[in-house]
Amino acid sequence: DAPLSGMARYYLEELASLLVAGGGVQIAEVTARAAISSAARTLQDSGQIGTTPDPGAVLTALCSHHVLERTTYPDVTYTFFHQQFQELFAALRLRQELIKIAATDVGRTDFIAKYVNEPAWSQPLEMLAEFIGRHTGNEPLANAVAMGQTLVEMALPLDAVFASKLARLCGAE
């Protein structure tokens, strides 16, 4: 239903990515509203939603679903109920980017610079590797092995220990 129209995950991925990139856990209301507006325009341009919702209504809906928490003192800010929710939604955003890189090899350098070489992204990257590992065994994702291989290859020149941890989490395949 409006205002989320089934796109809550997309909005949460946007907010989580901003928070992880900034190294924080709180996002100011003005920044959150801008991020929601940007995400809504992207969804509208891709034909996923008809009209862009009010960003305040989207934030209220996300809070009512107990994923975000609104704080009003001293300023209005939003946080995820738990930091692992934030990292999970950031990992889901990374998954979408890694799927494209594994299939086309386009964007690899940007991915390395923005995520793999930034310590703030280590937990979301580990969550992504665990997701890949779960999908290389019993319920294979079409390109899970390629995704895992790409992720490890990107990390290896930067930090062999981190790359080996990602490799273990990605699974034996």
Side-chain angles (χ1 to χ4, degrees):
D1 294 337
L4 297 177
S5 302
M7 297 295 157
R9 184 172 121 186
Y10 190 82
Y11 296 124
L12 291 167
E13 287 176 7
E14 187 73 21
L15 293 172
S17 295
L18 277 174
L19 284 166
V20 172
V25 294
Q26 279 187 327
I27 189 166
E29 182 177 38
V30 67
T31 307
R33 291 173 73 86
I36 295 296
S37 292
S38 174
R41 282 191 300 278
T42 301
L43 289 169
Q44 186 180 34
D45 291 346
S46 66
Q48 299 299 309
I49 59 175
T51 59
T52 57
D54 174 60
V58 170
L59 289 166
T60 299
L62 293 173
C63 288
S64 71
H65 286 92
H66 306 291
V67 181
L68 288 181
E69 183 175 34
R70 184 174 191 261
T71 307
T72 58
Y73 182 80
D75 297 315
V76 177
T77 59
Y78 293 90
T79 58
F80 281 83
F81 261 71
H82 195 284
Q83 190 173 350
Q84 284 194 333
F85 287 138
Q86 174 182 315
E87 292 164 347
L88 169 67
F89 284 105
L92 291 173
R93 174 61 58 90
L94 291 178
R95 182 181 72 169
Q96 295 308 314
E97 291 187 38
L98 186 60
I99 287 171
K100 293 175 190 169
I101 293 169
T104 65
D105 210 35
V106 174
R108 183 184 283 247
T109 305
D110 289 339
F111 191 91
I112 292 170
K114 283 171 63 176
Y115 308 120
V116 181
N117 200 27
E118 290 296 326
W121 287 93
S122 61
Q123 187 66 36
L125 286 167
E126 290 172 10
M127 287 181 163
L128 175 59
E130 285 179 310
F131 171 80
I132 291 168
R134 285 193 312 271
H135 286 84
T136 57
N138 299 338
E139 45 183 290
L141 181 66
N143 59 349
V145 174
M147 288 171 60
Q149 179 179 347
T150 301
L151 184 60
V152 172
E153 287 174 352
M154 288 189 289
L156 192 56
L158 302 172
D159 185 345
V161 173
F162 184 58
S164 66
K165 183 174 187 177
L166 293 176
R168 181 182 54 78
L169 293 170
C170 283
E173 288 83 7

